[in-house]
Amino acid sequence: MQALNFPKFSFRFKNSENKVSIFDPIRKKFVILQPEEWVRQNCLQVLLQEKKYPKSLINVEKELRVNDLKKRYDIVVYNPDGSIHLIVECKAPSIPITQSTFDQIAQYNLTLNATYLMVTNGLNHYYCQMDFKAECYTFLKDIPDYI
């Protein structure tokens, strides 16, 4: 897989029927290793190992409804009270981060109301903090560590 702009982590892989799978520690199963999945698994390791978010507060690839449309978010991190702390939108490294990527995560956030947003293609990472009163967001250098 392509080298990404993340620290180096160790992963569990398996090969079956000529398809490589990677172990997802949140879903507790092997999933087929696609370029976007490679970004998602690296991002999960940043959240778990670097930022120290507990596994119990992280959810991966769940369905949500946005204006009667079924969508799937990549990663959500909850606060202990059940509110949403962070949404992460992952793209394959070959997909550039554009305004439409930000529009996509902003649309998800209309339903989820996360405090922080992260958009990454594994090479470029963007972090925002929401200001719901002013109805805007501020770009950050990084997302906060778990407290």
Side-chain angles (χ1 to χ4, degrees):
M1 274 282 122
Q2 178 177 348
L4 301 176
N5 185 15
F6 286 116
K8 297 282 183 248
F9 299 107
S10 43
F11 296 95
R12 288 174 50 200
F13 298 99
K14 79 173 184 180
N15 205 334
S16 134
E17 298 174 18
N18 292 332
K19 290 189 176 156
V20 176
S21 295
I22 187 168
F23 187 77
D24 182 316
I26 305 302
R27 292 180 274 184
K28 296 184 174 111
K29 66 179 185 178
F30 282 92
V31 291
I32 293 176
L33 184 57
Q34 302 283 350
E36 183 179 314
E37 191 63 45
W38 181 233
V39 172
R40 183 170 26 253
Q41 292 306 316
N42 274 272
C43 192
L44 280 172
Q45 292 306 314
V46 167
L47 294 172
L48 293 166
Q49 293 187 42
E50 304 277 313
K51 299 296 179 182
K52 306 297 183 197
Y53 286 96
K55 275 187 197 177
S56 61
L57 295 179
I58 300 175
N59 215 320
V60 175
E61 280 230 306
K62 293 284 189 216
E63 188 177 284
L64 78 145
R65 289 195 165 272
V66 178
N67 299 330
D68 293 329
L69 297 172
K70 288 182 180 180
K71 303 286 185 180
R72 290 183 85 73
Y73 60 71
D74 286 306
I75 302 170
V76 163
V77 178
Y78 291 91
N79 290 308
D81 68 4
S83 62
I84 296 179
H85 179 71
L86 167 70
I87 307 171
V88 182
E89 180 59 31
C90 300
K91 299 292 185 192
S94 61
I95 307 290
I97 304 297
T98 63
Q99 184 61 50
S100 68
T101 313
F102 283 99
D103 293 346
Q104 179 183 0
I105 199 168
Q107 190 177 48
Y108 291 177
N109 207 32
L110 291 174
T111 302
L112 299 173
N113 296 316
T115 306
Y116 296 95
L117 308 177
M118 176 180 174
V119 176
T120 181
N121 63 3
L123 304 173
N124 300 298
H125 320 299
Y126 299 94
Y127 313 97
C128 304
Q129 181 173 8
M130 298 301 301
D131 181 339
F132 292 104
K133 286 185 181 149
E135 296 182 349
C136 66
Y137 53 84
T138 306
F139 281 95
L140 304 172
K141 291 189 186 318
D142 202 352
I143 54 170
D145 292 351
Y146 184 73
I147 301 169

